Amino acid sequence: MVHNVKLGKNMRSVSIVGIGATPFMNTIKNDTYHGITNGELFGHAALDAMKDAHVEPRDVQYFFHGSANPHVMFHAITPNLQVADWFGMRGKGSISHSEGCCTGYIALEEAVFAVASGAYDIVLTGACDMGTGMPDGNTPDHMRVELSTEVLFPDLDSIFDRAYGRYLGGGPGMNHDDWINLYAHENNLTPDQIDDVLNHQSYHMRRAGALCPRAIRRTTFDDMAKEAGYDDVWEYMKSPHNPKMTQYLRTSSDSCVADGAAACIVVPTEIAHQFTDKPIEVLATGASVLDAIVPHLEKKATAEAARQVFEATGLTADDMDLVMVNDFIGSSAFLAAEEIGYLPKGEGWKYVLEGRTAFDGDKPINTNGGRTSYGHAFGASGLADVFEAVTQMRGEAGLRQVKKLPKHVFLRGFGGAQNVRATILRAGF
């Protein structure tokens, strides 16, 4: 029986039946994973997802490979061709795609539509990025060197409209502060108040990250403060140990670049229980894309994508039990949650200060620690969010399990100058 027709006219309902993810790490400095290739790293996540869904590579009919910038990260423009052998998919249909930091969310969207259309019944989708390094160009790809800003930043210009757009929204600092500056103005918040809000958000994200075995940063700010000789963690959070990068954002609100991969298996909902007793249905996905020339593009695109999924499902933000947000700009976490209605308009900052958006609060956001603590492997981060959402919905998150077992989870992806995706997942059907 088809559970919904929200994905599109005459489309089948689709569910996630398997998930897999590697730790987020620095493979150049990691003794266990040093020397690993894109194919191997992606393969680890892919095989874990297959194992979780109780399928073999021969059962999978098609796969998607996502990467934010495969040309720089892997010196490849079609990495799907180079990774298939690592997880038993030689000769299978596949495609590579790249949408910046939104890649992982679009990876789910593409796989869902491939199954919803009736073209395939079992699809693997995954994403892998190794943001800490790149091939040196003269040796095999497993011999990587550190990725420098001298290489990365000029290349980022290629994803923006250079005729009329503004490079990175006028520069990284201006781009990162755009939404939070508008929010502060609209709600009459002082810079000191904003500083407190973002420090509290980072603090609680790290509490979650400390409990997540796949997170790259797992030392709490309490422990870091003590090690630095501070009795008061909040004094530490405003100290030179946590300097400001922009007008508002400190280093604790900046994403931590990482290497990692994540993947999932999707099938028609009507057969999902053949693979797992806890399938997660993908109810709807919404999309909005705006160029960097558009003022407050992240806010506007988030509102539009959210409008689409709520209209498609008939649900509201009040139905959501957990929100996962791409927060490579740290302030995006609570700002996006407020924009979709999960937090009251103009009141989200208070929820952060009160700890209510922490994993053990009543309005949890980014229970894996978000980009600031879990880490940011660019294109792979979106599917890592899917991994966390499914883990929470199954009740398998351990010490960071949210208080209320989530029935509905809202995911908001953002990236790539600038793609936004909104997705609603449902459990317990």
Side-chain angles (χ1 to χ4, degrees), residues 153 168-178 245-249:
F153 272 66
L168 281 180
M174 289 176 62
N175 182 61
H176 287 189
D177 280 346
D178 174 73
M245 306 163 45
T246 71
Q247 179 182 359
Y248 293 103
L249 301 182

Side-chain angles (χ1 to χ4, degrees), residues 199-241:
N199 281 333
H200 276 74
Q201 182 176 258
S202 300
Y203 175 85
H204 289 296
M205 292 289 187
R206 185 60 59 84
R207 290 179 56 234
L211 299 174
C212 184
R214 289 177 171 81
I216 191 171
R217 289 175 171 170
R218 300 186 61 195
T219 304
T220 66
F221 284 113
D222 290 300
D223 289 341
M224 293 170 67
K226 289 178 182 177
E227 185 177 346
Y230 287 83
D231 295 325
D232 184 353
V233 68
W234 304 115
E235 183 182 353
Y236 170 85
M237 296 295 283
K238 292 188 176 185
S239 76
H241 293 276

Side-chain angles (χ1 to χ4, degrees), residues 85-385:
D85 281 1
W86 290 100
F87 48 99
M89 296 294 286
R90 177 185 290 180
K92 294 291 183 74
S94 64
I95 193 170
S96 295
H97 61 102
S98 174
E99 298 84 20
C101 297
C102 199
T103 298
Y105 307 92
I106 294 174
L108 177 62
E109 176 188 65
E110 291 297 308
V112 165
F113 284 143
V115 172
S117 70
Y120 306 101
D121 286 331
I122 304 177
V123 169
L124 165 73
T125 189
C128 176
D129 266 316
M130 302 175 73
T132 65
M134 62 183 183
D136 67 10
N138 302 305
T139 56
D141 283 352
H142 71 279
M143 302 178 69
R144 300 174 67 81
V145 295
E146 290 189 3
L147 177 62
S148 67
T149 55
E150 287 79 10
V151 172
L152 179 62
F153 272 66
D155 189 74
L156 287 177
D157 193 31
S158 65
I159 65 174
F160 290 85
D161 174 10
R162 285 164 290 176
Y164 300 104
R166 297 171 296 161
Y167 171 71
L168 281 180
M174 289 176 62
N175 182 61
H176 287 189
D177 280 346
D178 174 73
W179 195 355
I180 189 63
N181 190 53
L182 175 66
Y183 185 85
H185 176 73
E186 290 178 336
N187 295 284
N188 298 313
L189 298 176
T190 67
D192 283 341
Q193 286 177 302
I194 292 296
D195 197 25
D196 285 339
V197 172
L198 296 182
N199 281 333
H200 276 74
Q201 182 176 258
S202 300
Y203 175 85
H204 289 296
M205 292 289 187
R206 185 60 59 84
R207 290 179 56 234
L211 299 174
C212 184
R214 289 177 171 81
I216 191 171
R217 289 175 171 170
R218 300 186 61 195
T219 304
T220 66
F221 284 113
D222 290 300
D223 289 341
M224 293 170 67
K226 289 178 182 177
E227 185 177 346
Y230 287 83
D231 295 325
D232 184 353
V233 68
W234 304 115
E235 183 182 353
Y236 170 85
M237 296 295 283
K238 292 188 176 185
S239 76
H241 293 276
N242 186 28
K244 283 192 174 181
M245 306 163 45
T246 71
Q247 179 182 359
Y248 293 103
L249 301 182
R250 295 182 182 272
T251 54
S252 59
S253 290
D254 188 33
S255 59
C256 179
V257 174
D259 307 325
C264 67
I265 301 287
V266 298
V267 303
T269 296
E270 58 210 58
I271 63 171
H273 282 281
Q274 296 177 20
F275 301 87
T276 177
D277 59 354
K278 294 180 180 179
I280 305 299
E281 187 178 14
V282 182
L283 288 184
T285 184
S288 180
V289 181
L290 289 171
D291 183 71
I293 197 172
V294 178
H296 318 312
L297 65 92
E298 185 183 357
K299 171 183 171 67
K300 294 174 181 177
T302 296
E304 171 57 21
R307 181 197 64 78
Q308 293 173 24
V309 289
F310 288 140
E311 183 177 288
T313 61
L315 297 170
T316 72
D318 290 337
D319 295 308
M320 301 300 112
D321 301 307
L322 169 63
V323 168
M324 301 295 297
V325 176
N326 183 347
D327 60 339
F328 68 85
I329 302 171
S331 53
S332 294
F334 88 90
L335 291 175
E338 185 174 312
E339 189 65 30
I340 69 171
Y342 183 66
L343 304 177
K345 204 70 171 176
E347 301 290 323
W349 64 279
K350 297 178 182 178
Y351 279 61
V352 175
L353 288 176
E354 294 167 1
R356 297 177 65 179
T357 60
F359 72 91
D360 51 357
D362 62 319
K363 287 288 185 177
I365 301 172
N366 289 1
T367 51
N368 59 2
R371 306 301 185 267
T372 61
S373 293
Y374 189 88
H376 189 26
F378 304 147
S381 293
L383 274 170
D385 283 351

Side-chain angles (χ1 to χ4, degrees), residues 207-208 211-212 278 321-322 358-361 364 367-368 387-407 409:
R207 290 179 56 234
L211 299 174
C212 184
K278 294 180 180 179
D321 301 307
L322 169 63
F359 72 91
D360 51 357
T367 51
N368 59 2
F387 181 94
E388 175 67 12
V390 172
T391 299
Q392 289 282 353
M393 297 172 92
R394 290 175 173 178
E396 299 172 353
L399 293 176
R400 69 181 189 285
Q401 182 68 46
V402 297
K403 293 179 178 179
K404 177 186 176 183
L405 189 66
K407 180 176 182 180
V409 173

